[in-house]
Amino acid sequence: DTDDVRFTLSHVRYKQGRFEESLDLIALCITSEAPSLEVRRSYLAAALTWATEDPEAAHHDQILPKQRAALVNAIRLFEPLESALAGIQVDGASEEVSGNACVALLLVGERSRARALAAVALDRHPTLESALRIRVDELASTRNIAGLRKLTDGRYEELPATTLAALAEVAANEGDL
């Protein structure tokens, strides 16, 4: 048993939909003082996938305590989160980890931190779906129509469908955007 074997096997378990087992195997790879970005990234993705396996339950804050603990641990692996995300040089990896971290923070009840992280993530990744959704929800909850316009005007063709749907819902409730 080596970390390389465990890590590879964790990906196999992930692909099989056995997320808890995948997570347990990745956790065994985190024993070093400084786990690699790839190990931390995979742990976060596996924890998030497991926690959202039932999206309806996740949406209503009904995830299992072990799933919540895995999300908290995944976030902890990137602490200090904000500077760790800024230090990821590859845009694709930065986008993935930023989006996953935003959602993980929401699922563990750290809404204000998720909102702050989403705002920062949008500076680097202006079409990041999860960050856009969090930002649109935040602006809509405060009825900040001017902020919504600033965020989205002139960008409708590049925005993800979920963001457009959220904007349509806000427009139906608040009037023309």
Side-chain angles (χ1 to χ4, degrees), residues 97-156:
V97 174
S98 295
N100 286 348
C102 286
V103 175
L105 287 168
L106 283 177
L107 290 173
V108 299
E110 293 191 39
R111 181 171 301 279
S112 62
R113 192 168 180 207
R115 287 176 169 178
L117 186 62
V120 171
L122 287 171
D123 287 339
R124 183 168 177 185
H125 309 290
T127 59
L128 182 58
E129 189 170 0
S130 56
L132 279 167
R133 181 59 195 228
I134 291 167
R135 188 75 180 125
V136 167
D137 286 347
E138 177 185 12
L139 294 170
S141 71
T142 59
R143 293 192 160 114
N144 185 345
I145 303 304
L148 283 167
R149 286 187 179 131
K150 182 178 178 187
L151 179 66
T152 60
D153 276 358
R155 301 181 51 211
Y156 295 115

Side-chain angles (χ1 to χ4, degrees), residues 23-88:
L23 201 58
D24 289 341
L25 287 163
I26 296 170
L28 294 173
C29 300
I30 298 175
T31 57
S32 66
E33 286 185 32
S36 71
L37 172 62
E38 190 61 27
V39 168
R40 293 179 295 145
R41 180 178 163 193
S42 294
Y43 188 91
L44 175 59
L48 187 58
T49 301
W50 183 36
T52 59
E53 191 172 24
D54 180 348
E56 193 66 24
H59 178 75
H60 293 290
D61 194 30
Q62 296 175 347
I63 60 175
L64 300 171
K66 189 171 179 183
Q67 292 170 322
R68 186 176 311 283
L71 290 170
V72 168
N73 192 44
I75 294 166
R76 184 191 57 76
L77 290 171
F78 283 95
E79 295 292 4
L81 184 58
E82 292 75 2
S83 62
L85 294 178
I88 300 174

Side-chain angles (χ1 to χ4, degrees), residues 1 5-28 42 45-46 49-50 53:
D1 280 343
V5 171
R6 288 184 196 106
F7 189 69
T8 302
L9 186 56
S10 76
H11 282 288
V12 171
R13 294 294 183 257
Y14 184 88
K15 294 288 186 187
Q16 293 171 333
R18 295 161 60 180
F19 306 119
E20 185 175 6
E21 288 178 47
S22 172
L23 201 58
D24 289 341
L25 287 163
I26 296 170
L28 294 173
S42 294
T49 301
W50 183 36
E53 191 172 24

